[in-house]
Amino acid sequence: MTTATRPITLAIMAMGGQGGGVLSDWIVHLAESNGYLAQATSVPGVAQRTGATIYYLELFPEAEAERAGQAPVLALMPSPGDVDIVLAAEFMEAGRALERGLVTPDRSTVIASSHRVYGITEKSALGNGILDPEPIREQLRRHARRFIEFDMEDTARRQGSVISAVLFGALAGSQTLPFPREAFEQAIRDGGIGVAASLRAFDEGFQQAQGAEPHAAPSDASPREAETSPKTGDAELDAILGEIDSRFSEPVRQVVREGVLRLIDYQDLEYAGEYLGLLQERRKHMPAEEEQHMPLLRELARHLALWMSYEDTIRVADMKIRRQRQDRVRSEVKAEPEQIVYTAEFMHPRVEEICDTLPAGLGSWVMRTDSIRRPLAKITQRGRRISPQRLRGFLLLLSVASLRRWRKRTLRYRDEWQRIAAWLAAVDRALAISPDVALEVIKAQGLVKGYGDTHQRGLASFNTVMLAFERFGDEPDAAARLHQLRDAALADEKGETLQRSVGEWKPKVQEAGTSRIAVKQL
């Protein structure tokens, strides 16, 4: 056997459910059907997203082995600097391959899907924990011999297939393996599972890998979650959207439009009108210079819409029974039309959430009355599992969601609007100090999110930052210090980093009294 002959090495980085094993089997079958010896191994990660499975394959010409009179020795794991082809079923997995040294300029072709499946650390971050893919993309372009990238998840979804078929097509289109296209397609046919859909996905992946525009193809994919249309008359909606176009310029206009549509969906058209009125009122206090007031108005439009659409029991119940959500679940599990899919929703409302849904006076009375509040808390503390696909569970959630028309009379609505009003008053005071301070006060709202205990922790951090604003908001370095405190609030869930950061000034704040923005929590 000559030293010049070496195996073709491939590393597949795939997560659970993406068909990495099927893709590996296709490549093995392809190689063995075309005169190559093939060896495939896999090392699973610790979970579906915290560690993807690495499938490693080596292909060696059988004729060369026979000529040498001995079987080749093939490796079980990829070695840094010795991988010819890297297939990544998600973009950050290509980054993992790069980090492991599997991508080299003299040898490696990288074929990666550009879509993202967010990691555990990205999802669990209190703030925006999503990693920026651009630095990784730039490094892949620099360190790979050839880099092929497109959204393979979207292609698979449109063709009613899985991403492994698209990767297989892109591998064929890259022409990095010494096999004709027909041999790839025959491997899919020989597999015998989902052949028609896999061939459609293969064809589009092949074309995109070669830089061609994919032709339209019929799709039997399950419907995905669609944008919800506001439940209002077209004339009314057109009028309010026209008002936005006339009063706001880009890039603020798009954010305001999204905020209006969100609030119409959340409550009604009148509620969205209140949102626009509050924005217009704050706009009068903003700097005249466009480069200063545009970032302020854009952030205010976003954060005000988010706060006005706070998550209460009514909203949670409404989202659980929406058709779009059921369609998305069916699509994710790839259910056939005739199959029935049940989900189990774990509902654990605290007594506070129950009282928040009651009329303001009654809810306050229940929270003050221990003889009622304590037995109610014992009844609800265990929680329950509800299936929206079953009649009993659906009717229960529907009855809670139908309270939307009475939302403005609830205890939660009263409390949230006290907080919103106090926050907007703080924004006005901050605008009188400087645009930078005002921007930090606006962005502090991002700490208030979620439902139940998550909401309470976020609100506590928000109030702490607002106390800091009351204490040193007019000092020269106020914006930098508020930014530092906001970052500290997002550093950990318990707020320990934030408490250490405010240790120097908190006693002074407590001596001075309660902040105007801190609302007493029930």
Side-chain angles (χ1 to χ4, degrees):
M1 190 177 302
T2 63
T3 57
T5 304
R6 58 178 299 275
I8 302 171
T9 56
L10 303 92
I12 303 171
M13 324 287 285
M15 294 172 288
Q18 292 186 317
V22 173
L23 177 58
S24 177
D25 291 343
W26 279 341
I27 296 174
V28 169
H29 182 76
L30 169 70
E32 292 179 342
S33 300
N34 289 271
Y36 273 69
L37 301 172
Q39 177 175 278
T41 59
S42 64
V43 179
V46 296
Q48 284 195 346
R49 190 59 188 91
T50 53
T53 298
I54 300 178
Y55 299 87
Y56 182 62
L57 300 92
E58 292 201 354
L59 316 178
F60 192 86
E62 187 173 4
E64 183 65 28
E66 292 176 352
R67 188 178 303 113
Q70 65 183 67
V73 177
L74 303 178
L76 298 176
M77 283 292 293
S79 300
D82 195 35
V83 177
D84 298 312
I85 305 167
V86 173
L87 300 167
E90 190 269 347
F91 189 74
M92 286 301 176
E93 294 307 323
R96 289 178 190 261
L98 181 67
E99 183 182 31
R100 291 186 174 101
L102 305 184
V103 179
T104 51
D106 63 328
R107 176 165 293 169
S108 304
T109 294
V110 177
I111 303 172
S113 178
S114 60
H115 83 285
R116 290 297 326 282
V117 178
Y118 299 127
I120 300 300
T121 55
E122 292 176 289
K123 291 179 179 180
S124 61
L126 297 179
N128 182 6
I130 298 175
L131 298 174
D132 182 6
E134 286 306 317
I136 296 175
R137 182 172 285 111
E138 180 61 31
Q139 291 298 317
L140 286 169
R141 288 171 180 161
R142 181 181 303 174
H143 291 281
R145 181 180 182 182
R146 185 180 176 195
F147 178 41
I148 298 172
E149 174 201 13
F150 60 93
D151 191 341
M152 301 182 191
E153 176 68 17
D154 178 68
T155 299
R157 183 171 61 246
R158 284 188 285 102
Q159 301 299 345
S161 185
V162 291
I163 199 169
S164 55
V166 187
L167 276 167
F168 199 47
L171 175 61
S174 70
Q175 297 182 335
T176 50
L177 291 181
F179 312 121
R181 171 174 174 162
E182 293 76 16
F184 285 84
E185 294 175 335
Q186 189 59 45
I188 295 177
R189 293 189 184 94
D190 292 344
I193 300 176
V195 173
S198 295
L199 287 174
R200 290 198 304 269
F202 172 90
D203 176 64
E204 187 166 339
F206 184 93
Q207 293 183 62
Q208 295 209 47
Q210 294 195 328
E213 288 294 329
H215 62 74
S219 171
D220 56 7
S222 300
R224 297 288 291 176
E225 183 172 0
E227 293 293 330
T228 54
S229 300
K231 298 175 177 60
T232 183
D234 290 343
E236 294 176 295
L237 179 58
D238 289 344
I240 197 169
L241 294 180
E243 181 182 351
I244 293 171
D245 292 340
S246 63
R247 292 188 179 185
F248 299 94
S249 57
E250 293 291 352
V252 176
R253 181 186 302 155
Q254 185 59 37
V255 178
V256 176
R257 285 172 66 94
E258 291 298 326
V260 164
L261 294 175
R262 180 186 180 95
L263 294 174
I264 293 174
D265 178 66
Y266 179 81
Q267 186 63 30
D268 51 33
L269 187 64
E270 180 183 355
Y271 197 59
E274 295 176 21
Y275 164 74
L276 287 177
L278 291 171
L279 283 181
Q280 289 289 85
E281 186 177 347
R282 302 283 90 65
R283 190 177 187 180
K284 298 175 184 177
H285 303 288
M286 292 184 179
E289 296 80 3
E290 184 170 320
E291 63 273 10
Q292 289 187 333
H293 84 253
M294 289 286 279
L296 288 170
L297 190 58
R298 179 183 173 88
E299 287 299 317
L300 181 62
R302 185 168 73 92
H303 287 284
L304 180 59
L306 289 172
W307 203 334
M308 289 179 65
S309 56
Y310 57 88
E311 292 187 14
D312 56 5
T313 54
I314 300 171
R315 179 66 166 179
V316 172
D318 180 33
M319 299 304 292
K320 296 289 186 184
I321 61 175
R322 291 199 176 191
R323 176 61 181 271
Q324 293 89 348
R325 185 173 187 272
Q326 310 306 320
D327 291 342
R328 176 172 57 82
V329 171
R330 293 185 63 87
S331 175
E332 289 178 351
V333 301
K334 295 180 170 53
E336 297 296 333
E338 67 276 5
Q339 290 181 310
I340 300 175
V341 177
Y342 292 105
T343 59
E345 310 288 350
F346 184 69
M347 310 296 289
H348 190 188
R350 304 176 307 163
V351 66
E352 289 85 355
E353 277 87 51
I354 295 174
C355 292
D356 281 346
T357 312
L358 298 174
L362 178 59
S364 298
W365 177 76
V366 171
M367 286 300 298
R368 293 193 306 266
T369 308
D370 288 346
S371 60
I372 297 178
R373 180 172 56 83
R374 289 178 179 175
L376 183 61
K378 290 182 179 179
I379 294 174
T380 61
Q381 65 182 359
R382 295 184 62 182
R384 59 187 302 184
R385 295 183 184 274
I386 299 173
S387 176
Q389 293 80 22
R390 300 183 185 275
L391 181 61
R392 183 177 179 181
F394 178 81
L395 291 178
L396 177 61
L397 292 172
L398 179 63
S399 64
V400 177
S402 65
L403 297 176
R404 165 175 160 171
R405 68 188 71 178
W406 292 291
R407 177 182 272 135
K408 293 185 178 181
R409 302 178 186 177
T410 64
L411 175 62
R412 178 70 184 277
Y413 180 87
R414 186 197 69 182
D415 289 346
E416 288 297 336
W417 272 94
Q418 288 178 350
R419 296 166 186 145
I420 292 172
W423 172 62
L424 291 175
V427 171
D428 290 340
R429 294 195 300 275
L431 285 169
I433 298 172
S434 77
D436 291 338
V437 174
L439 187 61
E440 288 303 320
V441 172
I442 292 170
K443 288 184 175 182
Q445 187 280 329
L447 300 173
V448 184
K449 62 183 70 177
Y451 179 74
D453 292 335
T454 301
H455 178 266
Q456 290 299 315
R457 288 192 295 268
L459 187 60
S461 296
F462 169 79
N463 282 337
T464 300
V465 175
M466 290 299 99
L467 285 169
F469 167 68
E470 295 290 342
R471 174 68 178 86
F472 54 72
D474 55 355
E475 296 183 8
D477 61 345
R481 294 173 70 181
L482 289 172
H483 182 81
Q484 181 182 13
L485 290 177
R486 184 162 56 86
D487 286 345
L490 296 171
D492 67 273
E493 192 174 86
K494 296 181 179 180
E496 295 173 352
T497 305
L498 176 61
Q499 293 305 318
R500 287 196 299 269
S501 299
V502 301
E504 295 181 0
W505 56 265
K506 189 173 181 181
K508 298 179 182 179
V509 174
Q510 291 174 335
E511 292 173 5
T514 305
S515 166
R516 283 172 283 178
I517 200 169
V519 179
K520 183 178 179 182
Q521 301 301 304
L522 292 175

